[in-house]
Amino acid sequence: MIKHTLFIFVIAASLFSCKQKQEKTSQPEVKPLTVAEKIANAHGFENWKNVKSIHFTFNVDKDSIHFERSWNWKPKTNDVIAYSKHDTINYNRSKLDSTLTKTDSGFINDKYWLLVPFQLIWDEGLTVSSPVKEVAPISKADINKITLTYSKEGGYTPGDAYDIYYGDDYLIKEWIFRKGNDTVPSMISTFENYKDFNGIKIALEHKKGDSNWNLNFTNVNVEIK
């Protein structure tokens, strides 16, 4: 009787051990977040899935000259409404034709400025460098930097590069745009005046360090489902 009980105990222990090993091996491997993912998450990327529509006005003020255009985008359906002083255009980005190229290129440009932290996750053909510490061009602060380099094929401006400067909180502070991955900067600006819109953090102002130039967003509204 003792031998029989011991035999059952050994089998049960063996089965329990096998089950534990099986549970351990079946656990999915958790990969560490990339820098791009950390930057996107710091700006609220985990809340993007709840966004039903986003409305914004893109403005550029240089000295006494003012330029603006407004958009309403429904990311789940990719429907876009473009508003200007002269016209209102409705279109879907999956059904573009040559008549919409100019309008859509404007939308892509303005959306990129608005949501560049998320473009790090969305964009294809994008290479992201390893982070380094470097002196930021405007603030002169010692800060984190990554470089984004786009493929030479596809998109409205293929082959472009961006140097992204971000804080230890992973919020973007400044950037350098280099057209065609040129070594000479095409534009340098700040990311300022962050506001939270239903969990989406957006820098509403971008300024150059040496001129009376301000790219800014107004009438921002993020509608969630």
Side-chain angles (χ1 to χ4, degrees):
M1 181 68 180
I2 294 175
K3 288 184 179 180
H4 180 66
T5 303
L6 182 61
F7 178 71
I8 294 174
F9 175 77
V10 170
I11 292 177
S14 177
L15 290 173
F16 179 72
S17 177
C18 289
K19 185 179 180 182
Q20 277 192 319
K21 288 180 181 179
Q22 190 175 29
E23 286 177 350
K24 287 181 180 179
T25 56
S26 64
Q27 290 293 327
E29 183 181 352
V30 179
K31 294 182 179 180
L33 294 177
T34 64
V35 172
E37 289 170 331
K38 289 178 180 179
I39 291 174
N41 288 343
H43 293 80
F45 186 69
E46 69 276 8
N47 298 310
W48 183 257
K49 62 183 181 295
N50 301 319
V51 174
K52 182 179 179 181
S53 69
I54 181 166
H55 181 280
F56 60 95
T57 299
F58 172 91
N59 308 275
V60 178
D61 295 294
K62 183 178 181 181
D63 298 322
S64 61
I65 300 172
H66 175 78
F67 169 81
E68 70 176 61
R69 54 192 172 198
S70 297
W71 307 93
N72 189 59
W73 177 38
K74 297 180 179 179
K76 296 185 186 303
T77 60
N78 238 344
D79 289 310
V80 178
I81 305 176
Y83 305 94
S84 69
K85 293 181 179 179
H86 310 291
D87 203 2
T88 299
I89 301 173
N90 293 265
Y91 70 99
N92 187 282
R93 296 206 66 249
S94 65
K95 301 173 184 178
L96 293 176
D97 58 42
S98 58
T99 65
L100 292 167
T101 300
K102 184 177 179 180
T103 300
D104 191 60
S105 63
F107 170 69
I108 292 300
N109 175 79
D110 300 356
K111 177 176 70 75
Y112 197 94
W113 276 95
L114 185 79
L115 300 172
V116 63
F118 300 167
Q119 300 293 156
L120 302 182
I121 305 298
W122 291 335
D123 288 351
E124 298 179 356
L126 173 63
T127 301
V128 181
S129 73
S130 298
V132 296
K133 283 281 188 179
E134 195 170 290
V135 176
I138 295 178
S139 68
K140 305 304 180 185
D142 194 25
I143 201 170
N144 308 295
K145 187 193 87 167
I146 56 172
T147 296
L148 318 180
T149 308
Y150 283 87
S151 167
K152 294 183 179 180
E153 298 179 1
Y156 290 112
T157 54
D160 290 344
Y162 297 82
D163 300 315
I164 305 289
Y165 295 84
Y166 62 96
D168 291 336
D169 57 0
Y170 291 95
L171 291 181
I172 298 176
K173 311 298 183 183
E174 302 177 24
W175 74 350
I176 297 175
F177 164 59
R178 295 183 286 110
K179 187 174 179 58
N181 200 12
D182 198 340
T183 55
V184 179
S186 305
M187 178 181 289
I188 304 173
S189 71
T190 62
F191 280 61
E192 301 181 34
N193 192 16
Y194 273 96
K195 299 293 183 184
D196 190 302
F197 298 90
N198 283 321
I200 307 298
K201 293 180 182 178
I202 296 174
L204 295 181
E205 291 189 87
H206 305 271
K207 300 176 182 179
K208 294 181 181 179
D210 57 354
S211 67
N212 187 19
W213 181 95
N214 187 322
L215 187 154
N216 59 89
F217 293 97
T218 55
N219 304 317
V220 178
N221 181 50
V222 177
E223 183 183 0
I224 60 175
K225 61 181 181 179

